[in-house]
Amino acid sequence: MNANYDKQDLDPELLQRKIDIILDLEEDLIFILNKAGLITKVNSNGALTLEFKEEDLQNRHIIDLIASKYKVETMKAFNDIIGGKPERAFEASFYSYRGIEILFGINAKPLYSNGKMSEIVLIGKNITHLREITDEIENLRMKLIEANRLISIERQRANQHKSLLEELNKIKSEFVSNISHELRTPLASIIGFSETIDSDPDMPDEMKAEFNSTILNEGKRLARLINDVLDISKLEGGGIDIVKFKFNVILMLNEAIEAHVKSAQAKNITLSWELPEEEILIDADKERISQTIGRLLNNAIKFTNEKGRIKVIAKNLFNEIEIIISDTGIGIPETDLPYIFQKFYRVSRPGTEIPGTGLGLVFVKQIIDLHKGFITVQSEVGKGTTFAIKLPKNHI
Ligand code: ADP
């Protein structure tokens, strides 16, 4: 014992009073338990926190006051101390007098008397509030993680949107430049040839007729282009009406092929066809179907080199008519095939100047769709391309 200790320090009564004052002043919960777990002492603030009178807690078993989910852990800690552990920390909720759970962080230590463990001292810090705060922090942390996740999804979406807009913008600029070029070329020849005719009154009739025919063709080309653009915007706005009536599709095909014989001949392309003898009636919009075939034939001629071949085949199937247009042209690369029915999509072929707007096949696909038909394409670069259309004979 420390030599500086006063004699009165050893006075047991005084010592007891000191301990009582300390216990009274202590804000935390203090229990002294006997080896059976019964409460032999509780400090006044501890009892107050639990809304009990001190005497009501005397001799109660500690486990009776503990909330059920903490009973096992408390028993374990109790047994550890009994078993000789010098200290044990654990958490447990106590029921207050009114049955409210109060969470304590508890430290337990054994008390020895004559070398034998006689009692256990528990000091509990009320951590209910702290736990509420940490729970709230955890809750906010989870919300923050979720918010960050949503922000990153939104950011990704915004980036995708941005690149989509950039892509659309690029497509739009390309379209504007294509269409300006497409409009300017026929206009330039119309103006050029008209001026030549106008400035030369002595021009031979033959030459004049040839120039006039060029002006007419270029004028038609212009009209076709403008119609394309109008058709597509009408189709997109849902403003196109399909006027269906029964007609002989074989006759229509003959007329469409006939209309392209000249331009095929101009490129030395052999245009042949294999059509059923019998008439085949289908319930469809004759004008639109004829335009569709016309566009496919135009493309076939446009993308087939001199001395190539184009063949149109029609097959009379049970409920459908199949129309196949194949050419021995330049073909479409496999990587471009999925996109050719998209608006303004044009296969990039550097070094070749084949005019176009990337609208023709959009129109074709939309018309076939409106008739509940199918269009498929097969192609091989340098070998040729085959478009196959299936149209229901009767209105579905
Ligand atoms: P365009 O006005 O450019 O011809 P289309 O929509 O008609 O537009 O066709 C889209 C693209 O598909 C074209 O740029 C062309 O490269 C390709 N294409 C269409 N038909 C054929 C074909 N018969 N042979 C080769 N390529 C073709």
Side-chain angles (χ1 to χ4, degrees):
M1 193 162 288
N2 195 314
N4 291 332
Y5 269 68
D6 223 295
K7 236 201 165 157
Q8 57 171 344
D9 284 341
L10 299 173
D11 175 353
E13 227 175 88
L14 196 65
L15 212 59
Q16 184 57 51
R17 258 188 286 142
K18 273 187 189 173
I19 291 172
D20 286 346
I21 287 176
I22 293 170
L23 280 177
D24 272 354
L25 290 177
E26 178 56 53
E27 297 236 333
D28 292 340
L29 170 71
I30 301 178
F31 278 139
I32 297 177
L33 312 177
N34 66 16
K35 277 165 60 178
L38 298 176
I39 298 167
T40 57
K41 183 139 193 71
V42 57
N43 65 329
S44 51
N45 280 329
L48 204 67
T49 309
L50 294 178
E51 304 166 333
F52 280 99
K53 286 186 195 143
E54 282 169 58
E55 56 269 30
D56 290 341
L57 288 172
Q58 292 276 346
N59 282 323
R60 287 194 59 174
H61 199 284
I62 180 89
I63 289 298
D64 292 345
L65 299 171
I66 302 274
S68 46
K69 88 176 204 213
Y70 293 95
K71 282 190 200 292
V72 172
E73 179 59 25
T74 307
M75 277 312 290
K76 254 198 224 162
F78 190 78
N79 287 336
D80 283 350
I81 298 283
I82 301 269
K85 271 220 161 156
E87 188 168 355
R88 190 64 161 68
F90 61 100
E91 284 184 1
S93 268
F94 283 71
Y95 282 124
S96 77
Y97 181 73
R98 286 180 297 160
I100 296 166
E101 278 192 36
I102 306 173
L103 184 66
F104 288 91
I106 295 168
N107 270 308
K109 272 187 172 228
L111 203 65
Y112 285 89
S113 160
N114 295 328
K116 277 192 164 177
M117 201 201 82
S118 58
E119 286 172 309
I120 299 169
V121 181
L122 299 187
I123 299 194
K125 210 173 239 324
N126 184 346
I127 56 169
T128 310
H129 210 56
L130 186 73
R131 178 53 51 87
E132 278 168 9
I133 291 171
T134 49
D135 283 355
E136 185 58 18
I137 289 174
E138 180 58 16
N139 195 4
L140 288 175
R141 201 178 65 85
M142 297 311 285
K143 280 189 180 153
L144 191 69
I145 291 174
E146 179 60 9
N148 276 334
R149 196 181 67 84
L150 292 177
I151 288 171
S152 104
I153 291 175
E154 277 311 313
R155 193 170 292 145
Q156 267 178 5
R157 216 176 268 162
N159 280 343
Q160 276 172 1
H161 196 63
K162 187 168 155 248
S163 37
L164 188 75
L165 285 180
E166 281 169 357
E167 181 63 16
L168 280 176
N169 225 354
K170 196 176 128 232
I171 287 174
K172 199 180 96 195
S173 314
E174 274 175 18
F175 171 68
V176 170
S177 105
N178 279 344
I179 204 133
S180 317
H181 177 79
E182 287 297 296
L183 290 172
R184 216 179 289 132
T185 320
L187 260 183
S189 38
I190 290 171
I191 293 169
F193 282 111
S194 317
E195 275 175 353
T196 318
I197 295 171
D198 197 42
S199 64
D200 183 3
D202 303 326
M203 183 182 280
D205 282 350
E206 247 174 54
M207 202 181 219
K208 216 185 269 176
E210 195 185 313
F211 282 10
N212 270 332
S213 132
T214 309
I215 290 170
L216 185 66
N217 282 336
E218 293 297 298
K220 279 184 182 165
R221 192 171 140 194
L222 258 186
R224 219 171 26 234
L225 183 67
I226 290 164
N227 279 339
D228 265 5
V229 177
L230 290 179
D231 276 349
I232 293 299
S233 64
K234 257 202 233 162
L235 274 171
E236 299 227 304
I240 221 167
D241 284 331
I242 293 290
V243 187
K244 287 184 176 176
F245 56 89
K246 278 207 187 317
F247 67 93
N248 179 4
V249 69
I250 302 303
L251 207 61
M252 185 275 300
L253 280 174
N254 266 313
E255 287 164 6
I257 294 164
E258 190 59 40
H260 287 83
V261 166
K262 260 197 187 166
S263 48
Q265 271 171 358
K267 276 183 89 176
N268 247 327
I269 291 171
T270 311
L271 178 57
S272 63
W273 53 95
E274 221 174 83
L275 307 176
E277 297 280 316
E278 73 276 14
E279 68 165 24
I280 301 172
L281 293 177
I282 66 165
D283 192 15
D285 187 323
K286 184 179 176 194
E287 178 69 20
R288 296 290 176 194
I289 298 293
S290 165
Q291 284 170 349
T292 300
I293 303 298
R295 277 162 207 254
L296 291 176
L297 281 171
N298 250 333
N299 274 353
I301 294 169
K302 191 160 78 170
F303 295 105
T304 299
N305 293 327
E306 296 259 330
K307 296 198 182 123
R309 278 169 283 121
I310 296 172
K311 186 159 192 176
V312 182
I313 300 172
K315 288 182 188 166
N316 189 2
L317 306 179
F318 182 55
N319 280 323
E320 298 166 318
I321 165 103
E322 183 173 32
I323 303 162
I324 300 163
I325 298 173
S326 51
D327 62 57
T328 58
I330 58 179
I332 303 168
E334 210 182 325
T335 46
D336 288 291
L337 275 179
Y339 307 106
I340 58 167
F341 293 105
Q342 280 179 15
K343 219 178 355 161
F344 307 134
Y345 192 85
R346 305 186 65 218
V347 177
S348 150
R349 298 184 175 96
T352 49
E353 266 297 306
I354 305 174
T357 54
L359 290 176
L361 289 181
V362 183
F363 175 88
V364 168
K365 172 93 169 60
Q366 301 237 31
I367 294 298
I368 301 300
D369 284 350
L370 282 172
H371 282 85
K372 310 251 178 341
F374 281 113
I375 178 159
T376 53
V377 56
Q378 281 180 329
S379 190
E380 205 176 319
V381 172
K383 293 228 163 125
T385 304
T386 299
F387 283 93
I389 292 174
K390 274 189 184 165
L391 278 176
K393 287 182 190 167
N394 292 305
H395 182 75
I396 301 177

